[in-house]
Amino acid sequence: MRRGSIAAIAALCWSAALPAAEPAPGQVTVVLKFVKRSSAAAATLRFDPASCRVCTPVTTPLYNADNPRETVIALAVPRRRTLELRFTGPRDAIRRVLLENGDLAFRQDRDAIVVDLPPLTQNVITAAEVATHIVEPGMVLRFEHADPARRAGAYATGRFPETERLAANALEFAQREVIRELALGEEAERRDLGRIQVMGFDTNAPHNHVDTPPHIHMHLRWPRNAGTQIGHFYLGPDGLLTHNLAGVSGVPDTERRFNRGDTFTSVGPDGKGLYFHRITSEGWLEIGRPAGRSCLIRPVGDGGFQAGAIVQCAGAPARRLTVKDDIAKGMLTVATDDLVETFRYDPDNGEMSSPTMPPPATPSNYVSNEVADLPPS
């Protein structure tokens, strides 16, 4: 693989990237999540077509689901219409109805549930996702909660990828640590390059997002997504990285394979490299600036990343990271050396419940306009 070929394609596709597909005229797709009162509830629901004669079930694979946690139903509904949709099923079996990551009003009506659907102008399909988003300057970390009770798609049967998911947990937060240390998010924001997206992989295949084999991401999402180079850093069953498959979003036939030892550089809309990734011969991960400092992420101990990660950046002390996700409690705990962060979230959808910013200062307080000192690059 020639170094820089993905970068060259990305630089050319600012205006050439394919536009997102438009919904069918007059209709949009909606996915609703019906959260069960208990895992033992036999809350199989069915859409009552008499409540909306122009609404039709969507049969796209993995857009619908039924598991111990929830029933997920996809429908094609008329665009920009206020609807009351009826679903037949066991009385009092449902405690919430979710659209995206928010609640919809619903009520019991004899042997059915009636849901108030707001007018929709576009497809709304992500209700089955269960992920927590941590937003910082120039970046967002999307932490997926791997729940065996929701397993679907490629992970529906066989060995559940627990080792790979634990490794992804540690690597996601290790990448966040590198982004902070090298001030990559602040630079992306300052130069209007887009936003850095740190992600892992789903195990419940929401809206047919099969997300296999297990992997992690750290891509720079360009404005309007045009030109975004998306790398998939794959994890083996030993919790180590194997290779990276990267391509340009919306541009077919651009995927390239980067093996251990190969360098993959992410470039911005200005054609300049912002950072690079290199999987080492051991299956570890190096991230750095093309002409500056770099950081090595290696496992805690002699095995894979499932036990945690050590981040060693040039000119800075090594930091040890461990991650624990308690899905039942909705509590994500991240330990960086002796510093422990606790992120509380809604187990039904992953929505963060911990505070994300302080309350505003009183009007008479002085507010500094100075830019905070950034670490050297």
Side-chain angles (χ1 to χ4, degrees):
M1 172 65 202
R2 281 189 303 125
R3 184 181 301 182
S5 59
I6 291 288
I9 295 170
L12 292 172
C13 68
W14 172 246
S15 59
L18 300 178
E22 287 294 323
Q27 280 195 323
V28 295
T29 299
V30 60
V31 173
L32 299 173
K33 178 192 285 188
F34 297 83
V35 181
K36 300 178 181 181
R37 289 194 180 277
S38 72
S39 60
T44 301
L45 299 175
R46 291 180 174 83
F47 170 62
D48 181 0
S51 65
C52 178
R53 298 189 182 279
V54 296
C55 299
T56 56
V58 171
T59 58
T60 304
L62 298 174
Y63 268 59
N64 301 274
D66 187 58
N67 59 56
R69 303 274 192 246
E70 64 237 352
T71 295
V72 179
I73 296 177
L75 298 171
V77 303
R79 181 185 177 93
R80 295 179 64 186
R81 300 291 182 175
T82 301
L83 305 172
E84 290 190 352
L85 303 179
R86 182 182 174 93
F87 299 85
T88 59
R91 184 178 178 84
D92 297 327
I94 299 300
R95 58 183 176 84
R96 298 177 75 181
V97 179
L98 298 178
L99 176 66
E100 302 290 71
N101 61 355
D103 286 88
L104 288 182
F106 71 97
R107 64 184 181 277
Q108 300 285 341
D109 182 17
R110 298 187 299 278
D111 62 343
I113 291 170
V114 179
V115 177
D116 297 331
L117 188 71
L120 303 174
T121 60
Q122 60 186 13
N123 293 339
V124 183
I125 63 171
T126 67
E129 292 185 357
V130 185
T132 298
H133 294 82
I134 299 170
V135 180
E136 299 187 359
M139 69 149 281
V140 59
L141 187 153
R142 179 187 188 271
F143 188 91
E144 304 82 5
H145 303 283
D147 184 357
R150 293 181 168 105
R151 61 188 300 179
Y155 305 111
T157 58
R159 184 185 72 87
F160 191 70
E162 182 178 5
T163 298
E164 295 93 319
R165 186 58 249 185
L166 291 172
N169 295 353
L171 282 164
E172 283 190 64
F173 278 96
Q175 291 189 121
R176 172 203 187 209
E177 199 68 22
V178 172
I179 292 168
R180 286 180 161 200
E181 179 66 29
L182 301 184
L184 297 174
E186 288 89 347
E187 182 168 350
E189 196 168 83
R190 185 172 63 249
R191 290 167 53 192
D192 286 331
L193 303 180
R195 175 178 282 180
I196 298 171
Q197 307 270 328
V198 176
M199 302 178 181
F201 64 100
D202 290 316
T203 55
N204 61 326
H207 54 273
N208 202 21
H209 189 224
V210 291
D211 232 13
T212 186
H215 57 273
I216 60 168
H217 305 270
M218 180 178 143
H219 52 268
L220 176 64
R221 181 166 290 175
W222 286 17
R224 298 194 298 276
N225 206 29
T228 299
Q229 309 115 68
I230 300 180
H232 297 75
F233 298 85
Y234 289 102
L235 288 156
D238 58 359
L240 294 171
L241 294 164
T242 58
H243 64 286
N244 169 28
L245 289 180
V248 180
S249 177
V251 182
D253 303 322
T254 58
E255 190 172 75
R256 299 291 185 270
R257 180 183 176 112
F258 294 79
N259 293 311
R260 289 181 175 180
D262 293 337
T263 299
F264 169 57
T265 300
S266 294
V267 302
D270 57 3
K272 299 178 181 178
L274 180 60
Y275 56 83
F276 70 83
H277 281 74
R278 182 185 299 114
I279 301 174
T280 71
S281 60
E282 301 93 343
W284 305 348
L285 187 61
E286 182 185 5
I287 305 173
R289 292 178 174 272
R293 298 173 69 209
S294 67
C295 303
L296 179 65
I297 304 172
R298 67 181 192 273
V300 169
D302 298 327
F305 287 101
Q306 62 269 27
I310 294 175
V311 179
Q312 177 70 72
C313 297
R319 296 168 187 165
R320 185 179 188 272
L321 283 86
T322 56
V323 180
K324 181 181 179 181
D325 186 21
D326 190 328
I327 297 174
K329 292 182 178 179
M331 185 170 69
L332 174 63
T333 306
V334 181
T336 306
D337 293 332
D338 293 330
L339 171 65
V340 178
E341 294 178 272
T342 302
F343 302 93
R344 296 190 180 271
Y345 63 89
D346 184 337
D348 293 334
N349 58 10
E351 180 76 2
M352 181 97 75
S353 57
S354 293
T356 58
M357 61 181 64
T362 59
S364 61
N365 271 273
Y366 170 74
V367 178
S368 173
N369 291 323
E370 295 180 1
V371 177
D373 291 336
L374 300 179
S377 60

